[in-house]
Amino acid sequence: MAGIESLSGFLGMFALNLAEQHDARRALAADASLIPDAMEESLRFNTSAQRFKRTLTRDVELHGQVMKEGDAVILAYGSANRDERMFENPDIYDITRWAKRHLGFGGGVHSCLGSMLARVGTQILFEEMLAVIPEFTRVEDELPWVSSSNFRSPRRLVLARG
Ligand code: HEM
């Protein structure tokens, strides 16, 4: 699954963010050098890889909570990416914020092996798309979502010019 569900899902989430955030989309269409910052903000705001599981190899205490060796724990990247201690006004989509310390690609030894490829591919796709279709909106009010507790993205995203 690595690199398939996560990347295709993220492309949909980034397109969805831009279809809803008109000021951000117009800024990117006018200046493609802003695309990387917007991409990082989308990885923070609405990442496709929401969570993964770990099994503890030793006892750990975090914030007063004791977890035992062998316990299954969930790394909730999407939640951490809205942590107000890290990001001011975390529920606001803001392409001018410095979002690189998000956990959209995880962290530590198992952080995403394909993050640079994903970034380059996404940047090229949106550069090309915004050059041809600078104005677009979403068509459907209700989106069909991927059925998964780990990934979050629309199964289908219909966009219209204008
Ligand atoms: C925007 C697209 C992508 C997102 C959001 C994403 C997200 C993630 C996340 C959150 C993890 C960490 C999982 C963990 O902590 O266990 C991860 C791991 C990984 N990703 Fe990605 N990924 C993306 C694209 C890709 C691509 C394009 C590839 C390969 C071509 C890839 C290959 C991998 C691999 C191999 C791992 C496992 C690394 C390890 O366990 O040591 N990913 N990814």
Side-chain angles (χ1 to χ4, degrees), residues 10 37 50 54 56 70 82-83 113 121 124 138 141 160 162:
F10 177 65
D37 280 351
Q50 283 285 319
R54 291 281 193 278
L56 296 186
R82 299 282 186 116
D83 186 342
L113 216 53
I124 294 170
R138 56 186 274 194
D141 287 337

Side-chain angles (χ1 to χ4, degrees), residues 57-112:
T57 56
R58 58 182 169 85
D59 294 356
V60 178
E61 183 176 342
L62 262 185
H63 304 293
Q65 180 74 41
V66 179
M67 296 171 282
K68 293 286 187 197
E69 179 183 342
D71 279 356
V73 296
I74 298 290
L75 307 180
Y77 309 116
S79 173
N81 283 340
R82 299 282 186 116
D83 186 342
E84 57 285 345
R85 291 168 300 183
M86 279 299 294
F87 301 102
E88 204 175 314
N89 299 321
D91 297 333
I92 305 271
Y93 185 86
D94 177 4
I95 63 168
T96 67
R97 83 165 75 229
W98 183 74
K100 269 229 164 116
R101 292 191 66 192
H102 62 70
L103 290 177
F105 289 120
V109 289
H110 289 290
S111 70
C112 180

Side-chain angles (χ1 to χ4, degrees), residues 10 14 17-18 24 28 31-45 93-100 102 119 122-123:
F10 177 65
F14 192 22
N17 290 155
L18 296 184
L28 266 51
D31 180 358
S33 72
L34 299 176
I35 291 176
D37 280 351
M39 178 169 56
E40 299 300 329
E41 175 64 348
S42 279
L43 282 161
R44 181 197 72 81
F45 187 72
Y93 185 86
D94 177 4
I95 63 168
T96 67
R97 83 165 75 229
W98 183 74
K100 269 229 164 116
H102 62 70
R119 283 184 167 116
T122 304
Q123 184 175 343

